[in-house]
Amino acid sequence: MSLYSEIFYSSEINELFSDKNVVAEMLQFEATLAVSQAKEGVIPTSAAEIIGQCCHTDFIDFERLKTDIKLSGNAAIPLVKQLTEIVKQKDSEAAKYVHLGATSQDVVDTATVLQIKDFIDWLEERIGLLEHHLITLTNKHCNTFMIGRTLLQQAKPITFGLKTALWLESIVRSKVRIEEAKKRVLVIQLAGAVGSQNQQINPKVKALFAEILDVETANSWHSNRDNLAEFASVLGILNGGLGKIAKDVTLLMQTEVGEVFEGAAAGKGGSSTMPHKRNPVTSTAILANANRVPHLVSTMLSGMAQEHERSAGLWHSEWEVLTEIMKLTAGTLERGIELIESLEVDENRMLENLEITQGLIYAENVSLALASKIGKSAAHELVENACKSAVSEHKHLKEKLIELSVDLSENELNELFKPENSIGLSLEIIDGILGKV
Amino acid sequence: MSLYSEIFYSSEINELFSDKNVVAEMLQFEATLAVSQAKEGVIPTSAAEIIGQCCHTDFIDFERLKTDIKLSGNAAIPLVKQLTEIVKQKDSEAAKYVHLGATSQDVVDTATVLQIKDFIDWLEERIGLLEHHLITLTNKHCNTFMIGRTLLQQAKPITFGLKTALWLESIVRSKVRIEEAKKRVLVIQLAGAVGSQNQQINPKVKALFAEILDVETANSWHSNRDNLAEFASVLGILNGGLGKIAKDVTLLMQTEVGEVFEGAAAGKGGSSTMPHKRNPVTSTAILANANRVPHLVSTMLSGMAQEHERSAGLWHSEWEVLTEIMKLTAGTLERGIELIESLEVDENRMLENLEITQGLIYAENVSLALASKIGKSAAHELVENACKSAVSEHKHLKEKLIELSVDLSENELNELFKPENSIGLSLEIIDGILGKV
Amino acid sequence: MSLYSEIFYSSEINELFSDKNVVAEMLQFEATLAVSQAKEGVIPTSAAEIIGQCCHTDFIDFERLKTDIKLSGNAAIPLVKQLTEIVKQKDSEAAKYVHLGATSQDVVDTATVLQIKDFIDWLEERIGLLEHHLITLTNKHCNTFMIGRTLLQQAKPITFGLKTALWLESIVRSKVRIEEAKKRVLVIQLAGAVGSQNQQINPKVKALFAEILDVETANSWHSNRDNLAEFASVLGILNGGLGKIAKDVTLLMQTEVGEVFEGAAAGKGGSSTMPHKRNPVTSTAILANANRVPHLVSTMLSGMAQEHERSAGLWHSEWEVLTEIMKLTAGTLERGIELIESLEVDENRMLENLEITQGLIYAENVSLALASKIGKSAAHELVENACKSAVSEHKHLKEKLIELSVDLSENELNELFKPENSIGLSLEIIDGILGKV
Amino acid sequence: MSLYSEIFYSSEINELFSDKNVVAEMLQFEATLAVSQAKEGVIPTSAAEIIGQCCHTDFIDFERLKTDIKLSGNAAIPLVKQLTEIVKQKDSEAAKYVHLGATSQDVVDTATVLQIKDFIDWLEERIGLLEHHLITLTNKHCNTFMIGRTLLQQAKPITFGLKTALWLESIVRSKVRIEEAKKRVLVIQLAGAVGSQNQQINPKVKALFAEILDVETANSWHSNRDNLAEFASVLGILNGGLGKIAKDVTLLMQTEVGEVFEGAAAGKGGSSTMPHKRNPVTSTAILANANRVPHLVSTMLSGMAQEHERSAGLWHSEWEVLTEIMKLTAGTLERGIELIESLEVDENRMLENLEITQGLIYAENVSLALASKIGKSAAHELVENACKSAVSEHKHLKEKLIELSVDLSENELNELFKPENSIGLSLEIIDGILGKV
């Protein structure tokens, strides 16, 4: 694997998609096909046993395989050829039953599905972990005041817990999407040369084959790739959700903002010549992936108009791209967990930053309070002018309002300039979200 | 609308997304907000009534609106300004209650959702129609023999009904995806300036507001755009499924293939100087859209890492793109219905094309039949050699086999070279698919 | 045009691509073809004159045209039909010479090129204007100190002029790219039905035709679309360069940074309820476009594998997409000019922000100065420890160093903590860049 | 490397981008920097010599490097750390001069440029080879008649040489684009922490550094990435041009067309159970890449809006993507050469296919010939009716015309139905193209 195998990816998922594991899943296809056919009386049980014994990656010549893939156009043709030779050495009769009735795309597609299945298992467990950390963070900071920002401008106060609760909601929706997509994507491909099946892969064989592999049965999807495109999209959306979190963190980590920080670790994100720097390394990796994955998803969508019963090129374009989407998603998610698990929050800086505008973020509070006393229009006009004066005179708005002797007691004014009185229904929203997960 | 408003689009959906209708939905937001707030005692009922009366597009100055959008950065700010002026002319008190507690993104996003709702209604009805035509076509041609093709090469016989049944399956899955995405995308946006809500848009107001608009309530998704990205993806997948159908039709309409044809219409697809041409005009439009939509979907995915409580640019990039995705999808679907509804099938040409290889497509049949008599290896070798001789001598494989006096009667040979004995489980698969829709 | 015709686009360029102008260019093709053929003796001069007189958009029924485009598959077929009818009404003999020897793609493609030509004229003039404003800004701020930021962290001082000079360099390179692409894209399409030309469009006719239209002659590029793809890419890169500028501006406009601001205008970017907000409306529009254009460029690239002598769908997918790329680029550029022309710089805030880290950004200066006195390693270690203490004790680094009695005079220390001594070769680099434009 | 390292890629270019070679180029940066600084008196010559001796990949711990990349956020930081340790073991004084004045992005970007340089050398040599094969093919088949096809319909005759000459033109234009892009992309990155340079990397050092590396000097492009985006685009266009060739080949190889074939090779593209199949394996690989690369190019474009003086994520997203674009382009080009070099053309089948429409493709010839005798309108009408009758009666158009006793001798008719009289200026166009390369 490349220099960047750890920063953008997950080691576990890199391993899942190693050449060896890809080939192992293809061999799993052949062994399972044989045993299913044997149980349904299509081939001799002895043949299935021998085939099963030969379905091990140790027997495969990987270098020859790569070269032959170039000649034959996919991985299954030369793999089946090697497997057949291996079986033949044990029992030439059994060799006749290798891959019986199946087509090369059946092997490649089903092997992909089996890897997707393992990937989803990993993914769901990790999303659970991410949710857990987000829930913890939200609970901890449900009442931590900070400024809400729109178009990168300070707007009005919220709590940090509201921000993280909304992050959480997006991740939870991604979890549901994966669940829904699973029904469609976790299905066998076993349809024969042109998708019409045949007696060797009759419905009973298919049902058993699917049962053993623990996925659903299906008609040919050789050139109907909507399920894979959907799965790619769903992962793209998960990446986007994590990209949003990472974007917020990088912005909050800015030297001029300084409200949250990635957890420190020895050697992480520092600079020897710039001692003040604390680079958002983990978020940066997530954002890099978030810039890449959407384009890989659209490669899958662009590849859907596949010709006839099997495409000349579009199917082939999926192989590495779908794998890359899964691998990058794993990296994004793993980085996301690391990020949330160790996120440091500077509550004091959040409070300080609420004061940067010298009270202007509370102007609407004052306006609403005054309205009940002097009427809406008058209140609005008064506050607008007070704001202008405060800015031009570099004064705090509250100070200016006192100067102007507005019809509000100092106590009333103090209350109006407190973040706790300006966070809307943040707490209720957080409760609602946490109550549902 | 542009010169291409009819070829790539649907007039009905173009109309749905006209400036007037977009603004109408935004005004619908304001009217509904006012009435909900009135019913929950937040604003006077009289104010809500006046606001409601003013929420008509006839009162809006569209040219001024466009110019002001450039200055203010979105459509809601200047629209609310115009609306407030209009209300003020009727009742200056009521004007104070326009848009109360809401933020401009609430208006834009909810209006988008309301349009998505109308769009989905249209879409579901049309998908139903497409399914109907695909079912009819499949029923008619379940037993129409044709060659199955892989990598653009003739492979083995199938029936045309198998091909169309698999097209149908993909469309049915798209229907399910839309159904599932609906739950998430058909939700209000009503969260206030920074997504924290406020007393003016409290849970009761929101619940009533959502009920009136006939969509679900939701927390702020101001900068969590996964639901829109999902909806875009689901439409992208539907486009891809139709692209696959159109690709097949263009290939089958090739002069050298000539198996299916787009329905003829006066002035459609012809050429005065090339009388033999019958251009696949409808499929061409679908394929054009299928090349465009994936990239628009990835624009939505690329736009997900939105900053803080409202993005500076990524949100804005969604507006025209999501609309364009819906409009192109409508065009694709409408063209798809036209295509399937009037598709002409040349069954004789399909039969003729089955003979192009002079029997080679039946070689495996012979090999399997001979195997039971002379053993698998011998059979395979014999047939392989017969094929080579047939090709080099430009003879039909059956003729060659007779010449070679293979151990099969002429009657047996005749059966082996019939498409009806070579379509695998095509009919069973078709039955299965039709049985489920 | 849509609600967003002003915010994301340029009115002038919207107009250039109006239906009327598109059709006018196609009619220009027919008139020029006729006159060229007449001058080369291919058709009667009188016929060319009559054809020329009929080539006006006033005579065209646009509604009928749109409907017929759907039937015929492109705009040229029904337009030529209408034109022929119009000519016929004047002179049935002349009608025979309309569009002689040409094919519909010749018309559509050449008309596109003519629009690109007008667009480039506009573009080059506007890029010149942008350069002018960038040069002015750079000259004004070559010596305006600010912090340079990497990974959104304060790093070391630069000058604002260095930042804008590097913006300028990117724009200048885009200008060169457009110049280079022009040679290839500004060429006629006049190749006949299958690109093989014919006597009606012989080399002499083509040469004259190209000369009149003031573009170069060329062989068929009916299905070789590299030049259009290149032009799209070049525009994509220009958009990206402006996106980078807008990104910087939005970040510098953050409330917590406050170093530059978009020029104020009545009604621009403000918020009545949040008086402190100054939204980066112009930059936001640029960033929205910058998120969209890359995906449109890749649509052009995805459409390059066009079939045979004319594609069934991929050619068609270019029409609206290339136009959209040009229109969005025009909007981006126009917004960019507005942005740079009126950009406000708060030099004091830039200086204040240089103090946020309390001297840490100058740590390397101290380290280098000390090295000559106490050796590199000792200096590095001393400064590293001083930084840590300063941070933990919330002291300015200079104060801490004085406390630690380092081997530097107060005067020396003062110099080391000045931005003017920390901007590297910023001024020389700026001079170099300005010297070349 | 993956299972697909040979089918979609080039082994030579895979090797160029191996981890070892990537790191070697980064070490080349450090060695060259040191020697340049020594020659300009910035650092001691002895230090530069020792640093140079240590710049070998054998000394690098790659596993540690990958792990540290994750922590530090790029490859240069931990590599410089390792290098410094290595130098320190030899000479602790020299260690102080490692990487002096440079920043990590300088290393990564310059190393990338050095790899681009090697890649372009390879690319240009291979494009030359592709051109050579295309010229040979064009010369051989300048006069080989075949049908030209538009929208996948037979249109009018061309020669195969015209098709290949137009393929060639597109490749030649790509060569020019690469040449033009080279000027901009083959430049050093050596600008220091925030792009402002410093005395250690002063103009003289930079000039020498660039001279040694044999690329041009340049100001900081740390966050102005237009040159890389351009290079990616240019490669995308080359991919598209080859995709167009591969698309044509797959279509021409269809069983029903059978006009050209990929060169045969042992084990290539065959199917044991379908002896008639000759899969377009090489074209399929090209088309797969052609579906992938556009989306990778747009990743580069989407990554252009980089923040401030160095981006947090967008820069990082380029690393693997740009490499992947180059690697896939190499595969596409290598496959393209293999394809063209060994392409087999069935001239007889091309002639046969010209007869599929039974003369209809010559209808316009007849119409033009008759026009001079009976007038244009009458001729057109007569031929149109003759075509209709011929089709409905399944007769050859010539036969029908004879039946109708048209005013043309049999000899004249024979001439009108010959492809050699219907190829327009194919030969002249080919001559023109070959004359220029």
Side-chain angles (χ1 to χ4, degrees), chain A residues 149-155 253-256 274-280 284 295 356 360-361 363 387, chain C residues 149-155 253-256 273-280 284 295 356 360-361 363 387:
Chain A
R149 294 169 175 96
T150 58
L151 288 95
L152 294 175
Q153 300 284 302
Q154 288 205 354
M253 270 184 81
Q254 289 175 102
T255 312
E256 296 83 359
M274 295 184 281
H276 52 292
K277 285 205 75 175
R278 194 156 164 190
N279 284 330
T284 288
H295 301 271
I356 283 182
L360 295 179
I361 58 172
C387 287
Chain C
R149 294 168 176 96
T150 58
L151 287 95
L152 295 175
Q153 299 285 302
Q154 287 205 355
M253 271 184 80
Q254 290 174 101
T255 312
E256 295 85 358
T273 59
M274 296 183 281
H276 53 291
K277 284 206 76 174
R278 193 155 165 190
N279 284 330
T284 288
H295 301 271
I356 283 183
L360 294 179
I361 59 172
C387 287

Side-chain angles (χ1 to χ4, degrees), chain B residues 150 153-154 253-255 277, chain D residues 150 153-154 253 255 277:
Chain B
T150 57
Q153 300 284 302
Q154 287 205 354
M253 272 185 78
Q254 289 174 100
T255 312
K277 285 206 74 174
Chain D
T150 58
Q153 299 286 302
Q154 287 206 354
M253 270 184 80
T255 312
K277 286 205 75 173

Side-chain angles (χ1 to χ4, degrees), chain B residues 331-350:
Chain B
T332 302
L333 183 55
E334 214 171 76
R335 287 308 84 69
I337 291 166
E338 292 162 10
L339 178 67
I340 298 301
E341 185 176 15
S342 65
L343 199 70
E344 298 173 13
V345 178
D346 187 337
E347 303 185 15
N348 289 329
R349 185 70 181 268
M350 287 178 172

Side-chain angles (χ1 to χ4, degrees), chain C residues 320-344:
Chain C
E320 293 193 314
V321 171
L322 185 60
T323 299
E324 186 70 5
I325 291 171
M326 289 189 272
K327 285 169 64 179
L328 286 170
T329 301
T332 302
L333 182 55
E334 214 171 76
R335 287 310 82 70
I337 292 167
E338 293 161 9
L339 178 68
I340 298 302
E341 186 176 16
S342 65
L343 200 70
E344 298 173 12

